[in-house]
């Protein structure tokens, strides 16, 4: 039985978030979340594996979709993006309005996250722009012009207490 199939068969019955993951996989994911640029040799050393099995595990984790990609985290302020806002959007309640909104949002690079929500608003957007004039343009000229948008409310970030891209992982055993 392959290592991947063995991990799946021994983990059936555990919660869905950790199906197929053993302690070494979790150590690999933890290390890569801290530093996605680790060489395979350094990663293997950190997680207590030899390089060949470590590389096989990383490739398995990629193929299984646990690792979706690698990226650089940029400093938005150094890039002149001084305003972060969270924007609540309410749309007309019909399938066309929802589809139009989703297509429109995908065309806006200033919108870095878009979530379907419960509660009084339908969507929550995270937006990054240069300044308030840029935000006004985005809000009034772009967001409100998307067919189906009924209401937009915005809140601006004053300070960041915590910002992370790391997904909480179970503790390795």
């Amino acid at each position: 039985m392959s290592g991947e199939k063995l991990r799946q068969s021994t983990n059936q019955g555990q919660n869905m978030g950790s199906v197929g993951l053993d302690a070494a996989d979790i150590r690999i994911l933890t290390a890569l979340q801290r530093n996605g640029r680790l060489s395979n040799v350094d990663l293997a050393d950190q997680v207590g594996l030899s390089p060949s099995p470590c590389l096989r595990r990383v490739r398995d984790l990629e193929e299984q979709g646990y690792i979706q990609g690698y990226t650089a985290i940029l400093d938005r302020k150094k890039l002149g993006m001084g305003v972060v806002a969270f924007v609540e959007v309410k749309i007309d309640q019909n399938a066309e309005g929802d589809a139009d909104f989703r297509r429109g949002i995908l065309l806006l690079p200033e919108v870095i996250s878009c979530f379907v929500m419960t509660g009084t608003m339908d969507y929550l957007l995270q937006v990054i722009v240069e300044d308030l004039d840029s935000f006004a343009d985005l809000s009034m000229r772009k967001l409100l012009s998307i067919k189906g948008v009924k209401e937009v409310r915005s809140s601006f970030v004053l300070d960041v207490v915590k910002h992370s891209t790391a997904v909480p992982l179970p503790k390795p055993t």
Side-chain angles (χ1 to χ4, degrees):
M1 185 178 267
S2 76
E4 195 270 310
K5 288 187 180 184
L6 177 62
R7 285 194 301 271
Q8 284 183 347
S9 69
T10 58
N11 285 315
Q12 289 176 346
Q14 291 182 357
N15 72 36
M16 292 300 289
S18 63
V19 170
L21 296 178
D22 64 12
D25 292 330
I26 292 168
R27 288 192 307 269
I28 288 169
L29 293 174
T30 300
L32 288 175
Q33 280 194 120
R34 278 194 306 266
N35 182 359
R37 294 185 67 185
L38 283 172
S39 71
N40 183 58
V41 171
D42 290 338
L43 177 61
D45 186 51
Q46 280 190 25
V47 301
L49 295 172
S50 59
S52 292
C54 183
L55 184 58
R56 274 194 301 277
R57 282 176 175 267
V58 170
R59 287 186 179 151
D60 284 347
L61 291 166
E62 291 169 347
E63 288 173 15
Q64 294 169 28
Y66 288 101
I67 299 172
Q68 294 182 345
Y70 300 88
T71 189
I73 299 172
L74 307 179
D75 186 321
R76 67 174 176 81
K77 289 181 181 178
K78 287 186 178 184
L79 293 167
M81 299 290 157
V83 174
V84 177
F86 287 90
V87 181
E88 296 175 321
V89 179
K90 188 164 188 65
I91 62 167
D92 288 328
Q93 291 301 313
N94 62 55
E96 288 176 14
D98 188 61
D100 289 335
F101 179 76
R102 288 174 184 238
R103 279 191 299 275
I105 286 302
L106 293 174
L107 299 174
L108 300 175
E110 305 93 335
V111 178
I112 63 167
S113 297
C114 175
F115 304 97
V116 178
M117 302 298 291
T118 62
T120 59
M121 290 293 167
D122 299 309
Y123 291 91
L124 178 65
L125 313 178
Q126 183 178 7
V127 173
I128 296 179
V129 292
E130 294 174 358
D131 52 31
L132 289 177
D133 289 337
S134 299
F135 181 82
D137 181 63
L138 172 70
S139 181
M140 293 188 294
R141 199 174 64 76
K142 296 177 183 175
L143 284 176
L144 289 172
S145 71
I146 297 174
K147 186 177 177 186
V149 172
K150 188 174 177 180
E151 183 181 341
V152 173
R153 290 191 303 193
S154 305
S155 297
F156 294 94
V157 173
L158 299 177
D159 194 10
V160 178
V161 176
K162 179 181 180 180
H163 176 73
S164 175
T165 60
V167 175
L169 295 169
K171 300 287 183 220
T173 55

